[in-house]
Amino acid sequence: MSLETVSSNLSFGGVQGVYRHASSATGTDMTFSVYVPPHAPGAKLPVVWYLSGLTCTHANVTEKGEYRRACAELGLIFVAPDTSPRGEGVADDPEGAYDFGLGAGFYVDATQPPFAQHYRMWSYVTEELPALVAEHFPVDMGAQAITGHSMGGHGALTIGLTFPDRFRSISAFAPIVAPGQVPWGRKALPGYLGDDKAAWRRHDAVALIEDGARVKELLVDQGEADGFLAEQLKPSLLVAACADAGIDLTLTMRPGYDHSYYFISTFMEDHLRWHAERLRG
């Protein structure tokens, strides 16, 4: 699979790159970023996948996430894809809303027109992009972790719960834990997947756990001053589901922190060190 380098910059002894390729999953060009820390020739390194939230591209975390110093120290590759397909002919919310369509793919494979043609973010993130990254970068695919923010936290949780043997660790920042029970998800899931509520449950972390998905542990950070906390995020639902399932959930409520990258960048290093312990273990 061919790869175009959009940019490449030295940072903390490693290389921060941005890349573009023609995606067979989405039928569009897709852009993503990869940070490769300094390493010995021939070494294979653990990888952390980061999924971004509503309205974001790869650039938000790449420019604001403040992960490179820790990744360089810990020897972690950090990969950040886009949140939806983009380009001419790609469907968008007819009213131009921020929470559906462009920038809001919700990490599902859409089945409903006009979104089914391009919105195949589940296949892109779980199949195509990992194969591409494994081909072009020094990744140890036996040592993978996943994290994300908001809609991307939803994606990290649902993908991690669906592929528990693939990921050694799973974390999230302010995730949408139960999209089937909140306005963002009640708009996106039927819009992409139609009226099949069984399909919705496969993309809902709380529902997946209720239906038998199991992992050893999860790490979640949540700002107490997050304006979306009460209506859209509802971490208490994840607390209850994990308690019933015997999953060790570490949920840390952060007083004064909101939903922004000021919050994410503050606790990014904590998450990367947590992942590194499990990836090296």
Side-chain angles (χ1 to χ4, degrees):
M1 292 180 280
S2 62
L3 196 62
E4 173 191 353
T5 299
V6 177
S7 64
S8 180
N9 299 93
L10 191 67
S11 180
F12 296 103
V15 175
Q16 176 63 69
V18 176
Y19 306 93
R20 182 185 299 117
H21 72 110
S23 168
S24 59
T26 67
T28 67
D29 285 350
M30 294 294 289
T31 302
F32 64 98
S33 74
V34 181
Y35 178 71
V36 179
H39 61 282
K44 295 287 189 179
L45 305 177
V47 58
V48 177
W49 303 90
Y50 178 92
L51 305 184
S52 294
L54 291 166
T55 75
C56 292
T57 70
H58 71 282
N60 297 76
V61 70
T62 305
E63 297 170 3
K64 302 176 184 177
E66 299 185 25
Y67 55 84
R68 280 172 286 269
R69 183 189 296 273
C71 284
E73 176 191 339
L74 298 168
L76 300 175
I77 290 176
F78 191 97
V79 182
D82 203 345
T83 54
S84 78
R86 301 176 193 270
E88 186 176 352
V90 176
D92 194 8
D93 185 283
E95 299 179 357
Y98 76 93
D99 56 358
F100 187 69
L102 294 179
F106 268 81
Y107 304 101
V108 305
D109 282 351
T111 59
Q112 302 303 298
F115 301 98
Q117 181 179 359
H118 297 297
Y119 282 76
R120 298 185 54 79
M121 291 303 295
W122 181 269
S123 291
Y124 179 71
V125 169
T126 66
E127 298 173 12
E128 184 177 18
L129 186 59
L132 184 69
V133 168
E135 179 180 348
H136 290 277
F137 300 94
V139 172
D140 176 2
M141 296 301 282
Q144 300 184 62
I146 191 165
T147 188
H149 169 233
S150 192
M151 179 187 72
H154 141 77
L157 293 174
T158 57
I159 290 170
L161 287 162
T162 301
F163 300 103
D165 294 334
R166 182 184 300 186
F167 299 101
R168 294 191 186 177
S169 51
I170 306 162
S171 77
F173 300 89
I176 307 169
V177 303
Q181 301 185 52
V182 301
W184 278 339
R186 285 176 175 164
K187 177 178 181 178
L189 295 179
Y192 291 131
L193 302 174
D195 296 330
D196 180 2
K197 293 188 177 181
W200 300 6
R201 294 185 69 82
R202 293 193 292 272
H203 295 284
D204 181 311
V206 167
L208 280 167
I209 293 169
E210 290 174 347
D211 292 344
R214 294 292 181 267
V215 293
K216 179 181 177 182
E217 58 185 340
L218 298 170
L219 173 66
V220 174
D221 270 77
Q222 173 65 61
E224 290 186 356
D226 190 325
F228 301 113
L229 175 59
E231 184 179 26
Q232 303 283 10
L233 305 179
K234 298 184 181 293
S236 61
L237 297 175
L238 183 64
V239 171
C242 287
D244 289 344
I247 295 173
D248 182 5
L249 169 64
T250 299
L251 170 64
T252 306
M253 302 299 297
R254 303 292 187 177
Y257 283 92
D258 57 19
H259 201 68
S260 73
Y261 269 88
Y262 295 108
F263 157 63
I264 297 165
S265 62
T266 300
F267 301 106
M268 177 67 83
E269 183 175 340
D270 292 350
H271 280 238
L272 291 173
R273 290 189 180 282
W274 185 85
H275 286 296
E277 290 177 1
R278 286 145 183 83
L279 290 167
R280 298 297 185 187

